[in-house]
Amino acid sequence: MLPFLTGERSTGWAGSARAVFSDVSATTDAPAMARGMLEGIAGSYRRVSDELEIASTGVERIVAAGRVTQELPSWLQILGDYLNTPVIHQTMKRSTCRGNALLMLESLAPDLERSAPEPAGTYSPREAAQEHYQRAFDRFNRLYKEIAVGK
């Protein structure tokens, strides 16, 4: 599934891209459609992650917070598997403000010790899922090239 309901605004900036479900049949049920949406969003995150890896190699972990992570913590396992990187679930309020403060501290006070809030959980990538998500990502990229950017 390509998750672009209002265009794609990250790696390709394809503003006219729209959501696409692929390989849906009469036997596809609602849970499978929902999982397809979550995997599609994870595929989009993977494209961003791959671009970031070029700029700064060695990503060790991803910290995820916010309402969706509270309501669908199972999505964090999908994300960890899809990105092949541990995802730390952070439940603190105002997590965006904390992230901005950490970025500012890198410039203003790089030697200052940072607080380490206790995570709600860590979702480590599962080896058994890697082949599935690589195939899913390959399909995602094929769809993206064909439909989102018209190539």
mmCIF file of all heavy atoms in Angstrom, residues 20-49:
data_model
loop_
_atom_site.group_PDB
_atom_site.id
_atom_site.type_symbol
_atom_site.label_atom_id
_atom_site.label_comp_id
_atom_site.label_asym_id
_atom_site.label_seq_id
_atom_site.Cartn_x
_atom_site.Cartn_y
_atom_site.Cartn_z
ATOM 1 N N VAL A 20 -2.567 3.971 -2.731
ATOM 2 C CA VAL A 20 -2.827 2.864 -3.647
ATOM 3 C C VAL A 20 -2.761 1.564 -2.855
ATOM 4 O O VAL A 20 -1.818 1.340 -2.105
ATOM 5 C CB VAL A 20 -1.760 2.803 -4.772
ATOM 6 C CG1 VAL A 20 -1.940 1.562 -5.617
ATOM 7 C CG2 VAL A 20 -1.799 4.058 -5.609
ATOM 8 N N PHE A 21 -3.787 0.732 -3.024
ATOM 9 C CA PHE A 21 -3.751 -0.625 -2.493
ATOM 10 C C PHE A 21 -3.434 -1.547 -3.659
ATOM 11 O O PHE A 21 -4.007 -1.409 -4.733
ATOM 12 C CB PHE A 21 -5.090 -1.022 -1.876
ATOM 13 C CG PHE A 21 -5.294 -0.495 -0.499
ATOM 14 C CD1 PHE A 21 -5.933 0.712 -0.290
ATOM 15 C CD2 PHE A 21 -4.841 -1.203 0.618
ATOM 16 C CE1 PHE A 21 -6.124 1.207 0.984
ATOM 17 C CE2 PHE A 21 -5.024 -0.720 1.885
ATOM 18 C CZ PHE A 21 -5.667 0.490 2.072
ATOM 19 N N SER A 22 -2.539 -2.487 -3.447
ATOM 20 C CA SER A 22 -2.146 -3.426 -4.496
ATOM 21 C C SER A 22 -2.433 -4.848 -4.029
ATOM 22 O O SER A 22 -2.337 -5.160 -2.840
ATOM 23 C CB SER A 22 -0.651 -3.250 -4.771
ATOM 24 O OG SER A 22 -0.201 -4.170 -5.710
ATOM 25 N N ASP A 23 -2.762 -5.703 -4.982
ATOM 26 C CA ASP A 23 -3.008 -7.123 -4.711
ATOM 27 C C ASP A 23 -4.165 -7.346 -3.745
ATOM 28 O O ASP A 23 -4.139 -8.277 -2.938
ATOM 29 C CB ASP A 23 -1.734 -7.815 -4.187
ATOM 30 C CG ASP A 23 -0.600 -7.757 -5.194
ATOM 31 O OD1 ASP A 23 -0.893 -7.841 -6.401
ATOM 32 O OD2 ASP A 23 0.558 -7.621 -4.778
ATOM 33 N N VAL A 24 -5.174 -6.523 -3.804
ATOM 34 C CA VAL A 24 -6.369 -6.677 -2.974
ATOM 35 C C VAL A 24 -7.380 -7.508 -3.760
ATOM 36 O O VAL A 24 -7.599 -7.271 -4.941
ATOM 37 C CB VAL A 24 -6.974 -5.300 -2.607
ATOM 38 C CG1 VAL A 24 -8.266 -5.467 -1.832
ATOM 39 C CG2 VAL A 24 -5.967 -4.481 -1.822
ATOM 40 N N SER A 25 -7.981 -8.491 -3.082
ATOM 41 C CA SER A 25 -8.983 -9.333 -3.735
ATOM 42 C C SER A 25 -10.229 -9.409 -2.856
ATOM 43 O O SER A 25 -10.270 -8.826 -1.771
ATOM 44 C CB SER A 25 -8.418 -10.739 -3.969
ATOM 45 O OG SER A 25 -8.313 -11.416 -2.735
ATOM 46 N N ALA A 26 -11.204 -10.166 -3.304
ATOM 47 C CA ALA A 26 -12.441 -10.337 -2.543
ATOM 48 C C ALA A 26 -12.201 -11.037 -1.212
ATOM 49 O O ALA A 26 -13.002 -10.928 -0.289
ATOM 50 C CB ALA A 26 -13.462 -11.114 -3.374
ATOM 51 N N THR A 27 -11.084 -11.748 -1.104
ATOM 52 C CA THR A 27 -10.798 -12.451 0.151
ATOM 53 C C THR A 27 -9.977 -11.603 1.133
ATOM 54 O O THR A 27 -9.727 -12.045 2.244
ATOM 55 C CB THR A 27 -10.039 -13.762 -0.118
ATOM 56 O OG1 THR A 27 -8.796 -13.462 -0.751
ATOM 57 C CG2 THR A 27 -10.867 -14.691 -1.001
ATOM 58 N N THR A 28 -9.582 -10.408 0.722
ATOM 59 C CA THR A 28 -8.811 -9.532 1.617
ATOM 60 C C THR A 28 -9.762 -8.951 2.652
ATOM 61 O O THR A 28 -10.724 -8.272 2.311
ATOM 62 C CB THR A 28 -8.133 -8.402 0.819
ATOM 63 O OG1 THR A 28 -7.351 -8.972 -0.232
ATOM 64 C CG2 THR A 28 -7.250 -7.569 1.724
ATOM 65 N N ASP A 29 -9.492 -9.232 3.932
ATOM 66 C CA ASP A 29 -10.377 -8.746 4.986
ATOM 67 C C ASP A 29 -9.857 -7.424 5.570
ATOM 68 O O ASP A 29 -8.767 -6.945 5.239
ATOM 69 C CB ASP A 29 -10.574 -9.800 6.069
ATOM 70 C CG ASP A 29 -9.282 -10.233 6.737
ATOM 71 O OD1 ASP A 29 -8.226 -9.609 6.520
ATOM 72 O OD2 ASP A 29 -9.322 -11.215 7.500
ATOM 73 N N ALA A 30 -10.658 -6.831 6.449
ATOM 74 C CA ALA A 30 -10.326 -5.536 7.042
ATOM 75 C C ALA A 30 -9.005 -5.565 7.819
ATOM 76 O O ALA A 30 -8.198 -4.634 7.692
ATOM 77 C CB ALA A 30 -11.474 -5.045 7.923
ATOM 78 N N PRO A 31 -8.725 -6.594 8.634
ATOM 79 C CA PRO A 31 -7.430 -6.612 9.320
ATOM 80 C C PRO A 31 -6.236 -6.629 8.355
ATOM 81 O O PRO A 31 -5.216 -5.995 8.608
ATOM 82 C CB PRO A 31 -7.487 -7.889 10.166
ATOM 83 C CG PRO A 31 -8.943 -8.114 10.415
ATOM 84 C CD PRO A 31 -9.613 -7.657 9.139
ATOM 85 N N ALA A 32 -6.374 -7.335 7.239
ATOM 86 C CA ALA A 32 -5.289 -7.360 6.254
ATOM 87 C C ALA A 32 -5.117 -5.985 5.609
ATOM 88 O O ALA A 32 -3.989 -5.545 5.353
ATOM 89 C CB ALA A 32 -5.558 -8.417 5.191
ATOM 90 N N MET A 33 -6.212 -5.293 5.350
ATOM 91 C CA MET A 33 -6.135 -3.935 4.796
ATOM 92 C C MET A 33 -5.470 -2.994 5.805
ATOM 93 O O MET A 33 -4.615 -2.184 5.431
ATOM 94 C CB MET A 33 -7.536 -3.421 4.440
ATOM 95 C CG MET A 33 -8.217 -4.181 3.332
ATOM 96 S SD MET A 33 -7.610 -3.772 1.705
ATOM 97 C CE MET A 33 -8.436 -2.237 1.427
ATOM 98 N N ALA A 34 -5.853 -3.117 7.066
ATOM 99 C CA ALA A 34 -5.255 -2.262 8.098
ATOM 100 C C ALA A 34 -3.759 -2.538 8.226
ATOM 101 O O ALA A 34 -2.945 -1.607 8.309
ATOM 102 C CB ALA A 34 -5.955 -2.477 9.438
ATOM 103 N N ARG A 35 -3.392 -3.797 8.218
ATOM 104 C CA ARG A 35 -1.960 -4.135 8.290
ATOM 105 C C ARG A 35 -1.223 -3.606 7.063
ATOM 106 O O ARG A 35 -0.107 -3.113 7.166
ATOM 107 C CB ARG A 35 -1.759 -5.632 8.434
ATOM 108 C CG ARG A 35 -0.270 -5.951 8.542
ATOM 109 C CD ARG A 35 0.003 -7.260 9.177
ATOM 110 N NE ARG A 35 1.432 -7.424 9.321
ATOM 111 C CZ ARG A 35 2.065 -7.443 10.481
ATOM 112 N NH1 ARG A 35 1.393 -7.302 11.594
ATOM 113 N NH2 ARG A 35 3.356 -7.605 10.524
ATOM 114 N N GLY A 36 -1.841 -3.700 5.903
ATOM 115 C CA GLY A 36 -1.245 -3.151 4.687
ATOM 116 C C GLY A 36 -0.989 -1.658 4.810
ATOM 117 O O GLY A 36 0.045 -1.151 4.358
ATOM 118 N N MET A 37 -1.925 -0.946 5.440
ATOM 119 C CA MET A 37 -1.729 0.495 5.640
ATOM 120 C C MET A 37 -0.544 0.748 6.562
ATOM 121 O O MET A 37 0.293 1.603 6.287
ATOM 122 C CB MET A 37 -3.001 1.133 6.203
ATOM 123 C CG MET A 37 -4.106 1.190 5.176
ATOM 124 S SD MET A 37 -5.557 2.153 5.647
ATOM 125 C CE MET A 37 -5.978 1.512 7.237
ATOM 126 N N LEU A 38 -0.466 0.002 7.664
ATOM 127 C CA LEU A 38 0.644 0.182 8.599
ATOM 128 C C LEU A 38 1.981 -0.164 7.944
ATOM 129 O O LEU A 38 2.979 0.545 8.130
ATOM 130 C CB LEU A 38 0.422 -0.657 9.857
ATOM 131 C CG LEU A 38 -0.786 -0.258 10.705
ATOM 132 C CD1 LEU A 38 -0.991 -1.262 11.832
ATOM 133 C CD2 LEU A 38 -0.623 1.148 11.255
ATOM 134 N N GLU A 39 1.995 -1.241 7.164
ATOM 135 C CA GLU A 39 3.224 -1.607 6.472
ATOM 136 C C GLU A 39 3.576 -0.573 5.407
ATOM 137 O O GLU A 39 4.758 -0.290 5.171
ATOM 138 C CB GLU A 39 3.115 -3.011 5.872
ATOM 139 C CG GLU A 39 3.129 -4.091 6.930
ATOM 140 C CD GLU A 39 3.124 -5.504 6.358
ATOM 141 O OE1 GLU A 39 3.082 -5.665 5.109
ATOM 142 O OE2 GLU A 39 3.176 -6.451 7.154
ATOM 143 N N GLY A 40 2.577 0.017 4.763
ATOM 144 C CA GLY A 40 2.833 1.070 3.783
ATOM 145 C C GLY A 40 3.452 2.301 4.420
ATOM 146 O O GLY A 40 4.384 2.908 3.874
ATOM 147 N N ILE A 41 2.955 2.669 5.582
ATOM 148 C CA ILE A 41 3.543 3.806 6.299
ATOM 149 C C ILE A 41 4.979 3.472 6.699
ATOM 150 O O ILE A 41 5.888 4.296 6.547
ATOM 151 C CB ILE A 41 2.685 4.172 7.525
ATOM 152 C CG1 ILE A 41 1.319 4.689 7.067
ATOM 153 C CG2 ILE A 41 3.399 5.211 8.394
ATOM 154 C CD1 ILE A 41 0.285 4.762 8.155
ATOM 155 N N ALA A 42 5.204 2.252 7.156
ATOM 156 C CA ALA A 42 6.563 1.831 7.512
ATOM 157 C C ALA A 42 7.468 1.849 6.278
ATOM 158 O O ALA A 42 8.649 2.210 6.373
ATOM 159 C CB ALA A 42 6.548 0.443 8.152
ATOM 160 N N GLY A 43 6.930 1.491 5.112
ATOM 161 C CA GLY A 43 7.713 1.554 3.879
ATOM 162 C C GLY A 43 8.123 2.981 3.553
ATOM 163 O O GLY A 43 9.255 3.238 3.119
ATOM 164 N N SER A 44 7.216 3.911 3.778
ATOM 165 C CA SER A 44 7.542 5.317 3.556
ATOM 166 C C SER A 44 8.625 5.777 4.529
ATOM 167 O O SER A 44 9.562 6.487 4.156
ATOM 168 C CB SER A 44 6.273 6.161 3.714
ATOM 169 O OG SER A 44 6.525 7.494 3.385
ATOM 170 N N TYR A 45 8.510 5.350 5.783
ATOM 171 C CA TYR A 45 9.549 5.667 6.774
ATOM 172 C C TYR A 45 10.886 5.047 6.369
ATOM 173 O O TYR A 45 11.937 5.634 6.593
ATOM 174 C CB TYR A 45 9.143 5.151 8.150
ATOM 175 C CG TYR A 45 8.185 6.024 8.914
ATOM 176 C CD1 TYR A 45 7.212 6.790 8.280
ATOM 177 C CD2 TYR A 45 8.228 6.073 10.298
ATOM 178 C CE1 TYR A 45 6.333 7.575 8.994
ATOM 179 C CE2 TYR A 45 7.349 6.867 11.023
ATOM 180 C CZ TYR A 45 6.406 7.609 10.355
ATOM 181 O OH TYR A 45 5.540 8.385 11.081
ATOM 182 N N ARG A 46 10.842 3.862 5.773
ATOM 183 C CA ARG A 46 12.075 3.203 5.349
ATOM 184 C C ARG A 46 12.787 4.017 4.278
ATOM 185 O O ARG A 46 14.007 4.129 4.265
ATOM 186 C CB ARG A 46 11.759 1.794 4.850
ATOM 187 C CG ARG A 46 12.843 1.094 4.073
ATOM 188 C CD ARG A 46 13.886 0.422 4.962
ATOM 189 N NE ARG A 46 14.927 -0.169 4.157
ATOM 190 C CZ ARG A 46 14.937 -1.421 3.714
ATOM 191 N NH1 ARG A 46 13.934 -2.241 4.016
ATOM 192 N NH2 ARG A 46 15.923 -1.861 2.977
ATOM 193 N N ARG A 47 12.014 4.605 3.365
ATOM 194 C CA ARG A 47 12.629 5.456 2.345
ATOM 195 C C ARG A 47 13.341 6.638 3.002
ATOM 196 O O ARG A 47 14.445 6.997 2.615
ATOM 197 C CB ARG A 47 11.578 5.938 1.338
ATOM 198 C CG ARG A 47 11.078 4.824 0.425
ATOM 199 C CD ARG A 47 9.947 5.304 -0.483
ATOM 200 N NE ARG A 47 10.306 6.486 -1.241
ATOM 201 C CZ ARG A 47 10.929 6.468 -2.418
ATOM 202 N NH1 ARG A 47 11.258 5.322 -2.974
ATOM 203 N NH2 ARG A 47 11.193 7.589 -3.051
ATOM 204 N N VAL A 48 12.706 7.246 4.002
ATOM 205 C CA VAL A 48 13.323 8.363 4.723
ATOM 206 C C VAL A 48 14.555 7.871 5.476
ATOM 207 O O VAL A 48 15.617 8.498 5.443
ATOM 208 C CB VAL A 48 12.314 9.021 5.694
ATOM 209 C CG1 VAL A 48 12.985 10.042 6.578
ATOM 210 C CG2 VAL A 48 11.167 9.646 4.910
ATOM 211 N N SER A 49 14.427 6.734 6.142
ATOM 212 C CA SER A 49 15.545 6.163 6.900
ATOM 213 C C SER A 49 16.744 5.887 6.002
ATOM 214 O O SER A 49 17.890 6.165 6.382
ATOM 215 C CB SER A 49 15.087 4.877 7.591
ATOM 216 O OG SER A 49 16.148 4.260 8.248
#
